[in-house]
Amino acid sequence: MRLLDQLPTPLLLLLASAPAAQSFYLPGITPTNYKEGDLVPLTVNHLTPAQSARDTQIRSAFSFEYYHSNFHFCKPEGGPKYVSESLGSILFGDRIQTSPFSLHMGKNETCKAVCNAEEFEPRDAKFVNRRIWQNYIVNWLVDGLPAAQPYFDPTSGTEYLQPGFLLGSVENEEPRLNNHYDIYIDYHEVRKNQYRVVGIIVEPASRRDSKRRGNQDFSADCGEGGPPMVLSEKDRTKVTWTYSVYWRPSATSFATRWDKYLHVFDPKIHWFSLINSAVIVMFLIGMVSTILIRTLRKDIARYNRLDQLGLDDLNGNSAEDGIQEDSGWKLVHGDVFRPPKHSLALSVLVGNGAQLFMMAGFTIVFAVVGFLSPSNRGSLATVMIMLYTIFGFVGGYASSRVYKSFQGTKWKHLFILTPSAVPAFVFSVFFLLNLFVWARQSSGAVPFTTMLVIVGIWFVISVPLSIVGSWLGFRQSIHDPPVRTNQIPRQIPPSTGYLRLVPSMLLVGVLPFGAIFVELYFIMSSLWSNRIYYMFGFLFLSFGLLIVTSAAVTILMIYFLLCAENYHWQWRAFASSGASAGYVFVYSLLYWARMLSFSSFTGGLLYLGYSILLSFLWFCLSGSIGFFACWIFVHRIYGSLKID
Ligand SMILES: *[C@@H]1O[C@H](CO)[C@@H](O)[C@H](O)[C@H]1NC(C)=O
């Protein structure tokens, strides 16, 4: 029980300390200094669907490469080139390429054409108009900083930046293509003639009369104040892409240039939910400690006293009978360590859950400490992959220790299944979904080579590590369980009420879900629209609350289960604690109904597929929390019994 008594203290200390609400990070890249007139690189990333400002709906799940032929964006001379990226960045859809824009530090330029006029066929126009209707945004990077549009957050009264700017707008049911860009770049002077880029805002506009003027220097008429650019779906339309650049001196330093992007939405809601969950946790801890420790101590004292009596009294039968009449967890001491059915599957799941748990925990800690700055694109995903790979060792070890305690014999199966079963399932679903994305010509499709790299990393690093872990767990001797298991299994009285499988799962799962569902909302918003998630302080606290809640509520459930003389606690602990995954899944369906309106079948399929994947991984993770908590609990309480 010490475990449970000690956990809340550090958590509370953390609750009281500062990093929760403030976004704090170490800059991930070294600053580049530019002299006046130096070329500042503008790179282009994919086009992504974003939340519509009017009805906050997200209408698509696919992203498109910037140079997708239907968009007719101007290409640089000699064709665009890919900029090298991290693995995580590629996985999360970044496709960064060079662009034809030439921005010179400190030099204002008004109205330049990017290239000669482009001609849109009706087919292209249909495609682009549809994307405008779906609220797609264009993503650019200037000196590694995403071009943004400013927004106002009424709840906190502050302005923040969101990466990307609109491809077009819909007015009077008419899609208008933004073919002119006013680019505002903030620069900061560090020394004389040494400047750094500290901000970029793009204000796009739709101008039909934009035309390239003359033949030299790409100067143009920008058609300001004229009619908007509407792509005809019946005829060919000529479009000239134009832009103006304005350089503005700024007092913002390089180290803080990301601050406006890392906006905490609705901090009140986060605090509210945290305090809410904290209260629930307190309540649960109170329940667990009072009910369990007190009644248990009393029980144990009484049982042991009866035992003593039974030994002293030569006619021990009466005392034995006394215990027999007493219904309670002690009665199942001869069965509680009986290996469960399908012990191999449970061990494999628990091992994988432990691996995911370690990965999630370490990633969140790294993020809170500030190692995963968003200025280092894709670092979050890369670190997650790396940690998952490395913690294959933990997964293997955990699964073989658990299997050993279940007196398993199919060791070869365990060694192979632990590193392969769950990843293979995840990878096949991922691969299937990727086929759909690929068929839609979306750039979100993970390239085949990246897939190979992932399989390679998994095969070369994760699998051997997991096998080594399993081997160590297999070699290590295991303590005998504190009580002996009887030869003949005890009859289990039929379960009633909330102790039946499904009600117990529903009951136990809801509380851990309550601890994280607010963060889940913000994580989903950043996954499916273009927001940057940077509320790791809150996430860290929620994760802590999740662990404590899962552990406490599962222990309570298992205690009542054992009191009802049902000793099948192993699967029950895993399943009921993992049941919060069911809530996560239902929540993602609700999120779909409220926030997303995919017009295509594949969009919905993609969303559903990823939700199932997420929920499954969640099931393993939270299930293993409950399992290990009950494991410790059961060993403790039966360890304190004196039998024979
Ligand atoms: C460039 O334009 C910005 C915004 O209009 C202005 O503040 C700045 O002074 C201009 N810079 C120069 C060198 O003219």
Side-chain angles (χ1 to χ4, degrees):
M1 289 325 302
R2 253 193 4 262
L3 176 84
L4 282 175
D5 283 336
Q6 278 173 5
L7 259 183
T9 332
L11 257 180
L12 282 178
L13 275 178
L14 273 164
L15 249 173
S17 64
Q22 281 155 13
S23 39
F24 155 78
Y25 62 89
L26 309 166
I29 48 170
T30 43
T32 317
N33 290 345
Y34 298 95
K35 292 194 187 64
E36 196 173 336
D38 276 358
L39 192 71
V40 179
L42 190 160
T43 47
V44 293
N45 200 349
H46 54 176
L47 278 82
T48 48
Q51 234 172 10
S52 136
R54 278 167 303 152
D55 51 10
T56 66
Q57 295 262 313
I58 300 164
R59 294 209 170 76
S60 174
F62 300 99
S63 55
F64 291 96
E65 209 160 288
Y66 186 81
Y67 294 112
H68 191 287
S69 61
N70 288 349
F71 288 118
H72 290 281
F73 286 125
C74 298
K75 288 181 185 156
E77 262 176 63
K81 288 182 187 61
Y82 280 102
V83 175
S84 70
E85 292 170 69
S86 66
L87 185 62
S89 165
I90 296 174
L91 265 186
F92 270 61
D94 282 345
R95 302 286 179 271
I96 303 175
Q97 287 169 284
T98 53
S99 81
F101 293 90
S102 58
L103 313 179
H104 297 277
M105 176 55 82
K107 277 175 77 182
N108 283 358
E109 284 171 295
T110 44
C111 204
K112 289 183 74 181
V114 197
C115 60
N116 286 323
E118 292 274 345
E119 211 162 49
F120 280 72
E121 301 280 339
R123 192 173 49 94
D124 304 332
K126 259 190 203 134
F127 179 87
V128 173
N129 284 344
R130 198 167 161 69
R131 300 289 96 81
I132 294 174
W133 174 243
Q134 289 175 333
N135 219 52
Y136 270 71
I137 56 171
V138 183
N139 294 288
W140 285 358
L141 298 165
V142 174
D143 189 46
L145 198 63
Q149 276 193 305
Y151 291 86
F152 183 74
D153 180 3
T155 55
S156 60
T158 50
E159 198 190 60
Y160 65 96
L161 297 176
Q162 206 151 295
F165 53 89
L166 288 169
L167 171 68
S169 56
V170 182
E171 248 149 87
N172 307 328
E173 300 294 308
E174 183 187 66
R176 299 169 171 182
L177 177 67
N178 289 329
N179 62 327
H180 175 83
Y181 310 114
D182 282 323
I183 308 171
Y184 295 92
I185 304 183
D186 296 329
Y187 63 95
H188 182 75
E189 184 170 6
V190 260
R191 252 167 278 123
K192 181 123 189 67
N193 203 15
Q194 296 278 308
Y195 305 101
R196 289 173 180 171
V197 175
V198 293
I200 161 156
I201 286 171
V202 174
E203 280 175 9
S206 180
R207 294 175 183 177
R208 193 174 75 195
D209 296 338
S210 275
K211 292 219 167 40
R212 186 170 165 192
R213 190 166 7 105
N215 253 349
Q216 77 256 34
D217 209 21
F218 284 91
S219 60
D221 290 318
C222 282
E224 211 172 334
M229 180 57 138
V230 179
L231 295 180
S232 161
E233 297 189 6
K234 296 194 181 73
D235 234 335
R236 293 181 166 193
T237 319
K238 270 199 167 183
V239 175
T240 309
W241 302 98
T242 55
Y243 68 101
S244 303
V245 195
Y246 305 101
W247 296 83
R248 302 183 300 194
S250 162
T252 311
S253 72
F254 186 85
T256 57
R257 67 177 191 165
W258 275 89
D259 284 5
K260 278 199 157 181
Y261 292 86
L262 309 179
H263 180 70
V264 174
F265 294 94
D266 306 320
K268 267 192 207 141
I269 290 185
H270 294 269
W271 280 122
F272 182 74
S273 99
L274 271 182
I275 290 168
N276 213 359
S277 325
V279 169
I280 295 178
V281 166
M282 293 298 173
F283 178 70
L284 275 174
I285 300 293
M287 286 259 283
V288 171
S289 46
T290 53
I291 296 183
L292 295 199
I293 296 178
R294 269 213 202 138
T295 51
L296 274 177
R297 193 165 287 159
K298 234 191 271 166
D299 283 357
I300 291 167
R302 192 158 52 96
Y303 288 148
N304 290 342
R305 204 169 51 238
L306 283 173
D307 234 29
Q308 286 286 310
L309 274 178
L311 283 180
D312 290 347
D313 193 344
L314 282 176
N315 185 8
N317 280 341
S318 63
E320 280 276 305
D321 287 344
I323 303 166
Q324 292 294 331
E325 277 160 27
D326 205 70
S327 85
W329 53 270
K330 198 206 165 181
L331 289 179
V332 292
H333 69 81
D335 296 277
V336 77
F337 294 107
R338 192 182 297 289
K341 274 187 206 144
H342 310 295
S343 56
L344 181 67
L346 184 59
S347 311
V348 168
L349 284 176
V350 164
N352 277 280
Q355 185 177 357
L356 287 167
F357 176 79
M358 296 297 281
M359 177 203 75
F362 272 76
T363 308
I364 294 172
V365 168
F366 280 167
V368 168
V369 176
F371 283 146
L372 308 179
S373 155
S375 57
N376 222 337
R377 285 192 87 80
S379 59
L380 178 68
T382 311
V383 163
M384 278 171 84
I385 295 170
M386 288 305 157
L387 285 176
Y388 182 78
T389 311
I390 292 167
F391 285 131
F393 178 78
V394 175
Y397 182 75
S399 87
S400 78
R401 293 292 288 173
V402 169
Y403 194 55
K404 190 154 195 182
S405 81
F406 291 162
Q407 297 149 21
T409 48
K410 296 181 189 150
W411 282 97
K412 263 186 210 147
H413 289 80
L414 182 90
F415 275 51
I416 295 165
L417 284 176
T418 303
S420 63
V422 171
F425 170 73
V426 171
F427 192 79
S428 350
V429 174
F430 180 70
F431 187 77
L432 265 178
L433 293 175
N434 203 49
L435 283 184
F436 284 104
V437 181
W438 179 72
R440 287 289 300 259
Q441 297 186 312
S442 160
S443 68
V446 176
F448 189 65
T449 44
T450 311
M451 290 257 192
L452 281 186
V453 168
I454 291 174
V455 173
I457 289 177
W458 170 75
F459 208 72
V460 174
I461 306 176
S462 195
V463 171
L465 276 178
S466 167
I467 289 177
V468 169
S470 295
W471 176 252
L472 281 183
F474 167 63
R475 288 300 301 273
Q476 207 171 24
S477 64
I478 198 159
H479 296 296
D480 281 335
V483 281
R484 248 190 302 122
T485 302
N486 293 341
Q487 288 275 302
I488 301 153
R490 207 184 135 85
Q491 199 89 32
I492 299 175
S495 296
T496 51
Y498 64 91
L499 286 179
R500 281 169 299 159
L501 180 64
V502 174
S504 74
M505 285 171 73
L506 289 177
L507 214 62
V508 172
V510 73
L511 288 173
F513 171 72
I516 47 121
F517 87 97
V518 168
E519 290 315 308
L520 196 63
Y521 170 82
F522 288 97
I523 291 175
M524 299 245 260
S525 308
S526 81
L527 275 180
W528 296 98
S529 69
N530 212 33
R531 281 185 180 176
I532 295 179
Y533 183 85
Y534 208 72
M535 297 163 242
F536 290 107
F538 285 121
L539 188 63
F540 178 72
L541 293 180
S542 303
F543 192 66
L545 288 176
L546 168 83
I547 298 172
V548 184
T549 328
S550 297
V553 74
T554 318
I555 285 177
L556 266 180
M557 178 57 73
I558 294 305
Y559 173 72
F560 292 130
L561 193 76
L562 292 173
C563 283
E565 298 169 40
N566 186 340
Y567 52 83
H568 289 161
W569 62 273
Q570 294 97 337
W571 271 108
R572 184 66 73 94
F574 187 81
S576 56
S577 175
S580 56
Y583 288 95
V584 170
F585 184 67
V586 171
Y587 184 76
S588 66
L589 293 184
L590 285 180
Y591 184 85
W592 187 3
R594 245 183 75 64
M595 304 298 293
L596 312 168
S597 54
F598 298 135
S599 42
S600 68
F601 170 71
T602 36
L605 196 73
L606 198 68
Y607 182 81
L608 209 62
Y610 279 121
S611 299
I612 289 173
L613 216 53
L614 188 80
S615 310
F616 173 68
L617 294 177
W618 186 261
F619 176 70
C620 295
L621 193 162
S622 63
S624 67
I625 297 176
F627 177 82
F628 282 115
C630 291
W631 168 285
I632 294 170
F633 171 72
V634 169
H635 278 81
R636 277 288 170 89
I637 62 170
Y638 288 95
S640 47
L641 278 182
K642 290 198 198 77
I643 290 160
D644 311 327

